[in-house]
Every structure is written in structure tokens, then in C-alpha cells.
Amino acid sequence: MTSSTLATVEPVEPARAVEPVQAAAPLEPSRSYGSSVSSLIFFSRWLQLPLYLGLIAAQVVYVWQFLKELWHLVQFSVTGHEVHGMEGFGTEATTMLVVLGLVDVVMISNLLIMVIIGGYETFVSRMRLDGHPDQPEWLSHVNANVLKTKLAMSIIGISSIHLLRTFIESSVGDVSAETMMWQTIIHVAFVASALALAWIDRMSQGSAPRNAH
């Protein structure tokens, strides 16, 4: 007796029609308007560029001021020519005051450099100085808080120079006790402000990891 085996044939699914690719829907007018406004606001950061160029011009003025003070010091040391406004001081006091004036100009110039470079890097555009041999060490991690702290420390240094000059000038009676008192109070206020900024920066850095969890 011959047995026949019936093969099971699976039904073939009909081919699906390829759906046409729909074109991307055009942007809504409100979304396009919001994007334009955001681009305009972001582009407005370049309005700060003339400000930083003006600070560069102020840097040139301070270089000229430094050269003038240095020439007065050379004249006083070589020819004994009295420095204007310091006729009543001795040789040592005059030399110290002129040198303090030079240091004051340098510290203000450093303050300008930090504002120009740090401010431009933070608020305008990246300088892309990675790998440059002359890149400042602090520029790699600069932000608004770091910049404010560094500026506060620079202001303390400048205030210290002015306070020291006041103490030296008081030796010949050109400065009153009240003026010295107020300058000391203002200097202490600068120190307290710098400590407060550093503490706030430390607190913000400490709260960032906790917020990440």
C-alpha cells in the first residue's frame, strides 16, 4: 500500500506597499520667530567687543604712564632731580613711593589683562588657545565666579599698595589720621568682599556634585 505525504504550503503574505516618505513639516511661524530672536540675542554679545578694545587702549595709556614714572625714578637716582609732589620726602622714601607707584601701575595693568582676556573668553567668544605655549594657566578653567574672585584679589593688592603709600606719606604729615582710618576700613571691606566671593564660589562647587546625584 502506497502512502502519500501531503506537503504543507504556508501562505505567502502579499507585499506591502511602500509608503511614500513624507516631507518634513515646515517650521511653525512662532518657532521660527523664537529662533530668530534667540539668534539675535546671542549675537548681541559682540556688542561687548568695543568695550574690550577700549580696555586695550587703556592698557596702552598705562604703559605710557609706567614709562613716565620709570623715567622720573631714573632722573631722581642719577641726577638727584626731585620728583614732583615728593619734594619734602627723603631719598629712601621718595624711591620707595615711586617704586610703589610702578608696582601699582603693573597691578592695574594685570587687572586689565584679566578682564580683557577672561571677560572675552567668558562672555563673547572662545579664543581657542589650547596647546599655545603662552596660554595663561587660569584661562583653562575660567568662568564668571573664578573671574570675580581673581579680580577681587587683584583689587586687594592694589588697595594694599595705596595703603602702604599712605602710611609712608604720613611720616611727613601729608596725610591725616582720619584719611588713614577710612583707607584702612575700605581695605578691610575689600578683603571681606573677596573672602565672601571665594566662600560663595566654594559653596557653589560643593553643591554641584550633590545636585548631580
Side-chain angles (χ1 to χ4, degrees):
M1 181 178 177
T2 304
S3 59
S4 58
T5 305
L6 298 177
T8 304
V9 179
E10 296 180 358
V12 179
E13 296 181 359
R16 295 181 179 178
V18 179
E19 297 180 357
V21 179
Q22 297 180 355
L27 293 176
E28 299 178 0
S30 59
R31 184 179 303 178
S32 176
Y33 174 77
S35 177
S36 301
V37 172
S38 300
S39 300
L40 177 62
I41 293 175
F42 184 67
F43 183 78
S44 67
R45 73 192 190 279
W46 289 102
L47 292 175
Q48 294 191 15
L49 181 60
L51 305 181
Y52 294 110
L53 294 178
L55 291 180
I56 294 175
Q59 183 91 338
V60 175
V61 173
Y62 264 98
V63 171
W64 176 250
Q65 182 69 23
F66 180 88
L67 295 177
K68 286 174 58 179
E69 295 290 336
L70 183 61
W71 175 246
H72 292 160
L73 179 61
V74 172
Q75 279 187 323
F76 177 75
S77 301
V78 176
T79 64
H81 187 271
E82 291 289 342
V83 180
H84 178 69
M86 301 182 185
E87 290 79 5
F89 296 91
T91 302
E92 183 179 358
T94 301
T95 303
M96 188 179 299
L97 287 173
V98 175
V99 170
L100 287 176
L102 295 176
V103 174
D104 187 26
V105 172
V106 171
M107 296 190 70
I108 295 178
S109 181
N110 293 338
L111 180 63
L112 286 174
I113 285 294
M114 280 193 292
V115 172
I116 294 170
I117 297 179
Y120 184 88
E121 175 82 10
T122 304
F123 302 108
V124 180
S125 178
R126 294 290 184 183
M127 291 186 176
R128 297 176 177 85
L129 297 177
D130 296 337
H132 196 282
D134 297 329
Q135 179 185 2
E137 183 273 335
W138 52 269
L139 190 60
S140 60
H141 55 272
V142 67
N143 54 46
N145 291 332
V146 173
L147 187 60
K148 286 188 292 185
T149 304
K150 287 186 175 295
L151 293 180
M153 297 302 295
S154 299
I155 292 174
I156 290 175
I158 295 171
S159 176
S160 301
I161 296 297
H162 282 271
L163 190 60
L164 182 57
R165 291 189 62 177
T166 300
F167 287 152
I168 296 174
E169 291 174 356
S170 66
S171 61
V172 294
D174 288 348
V175 181
S176 63
E178 184 179 0
T179 301
M180 293 178 58
M181 180 190 69
W182 279 112
Q183 286 194 5
T184 304
I185 293 175
I186 293 173
H187 179 71
V188 173
F190 286 153
V191 173
S193 300
L195 292 176
L197 287 174
W199 180 74
I200 292 173
D201 184 40
R202 184 181 180 88
M203 292 292 294
S204 61
Q205 290 180 357
S207 61
R210 289 195 295 268
N211 293 334
H213 295 294

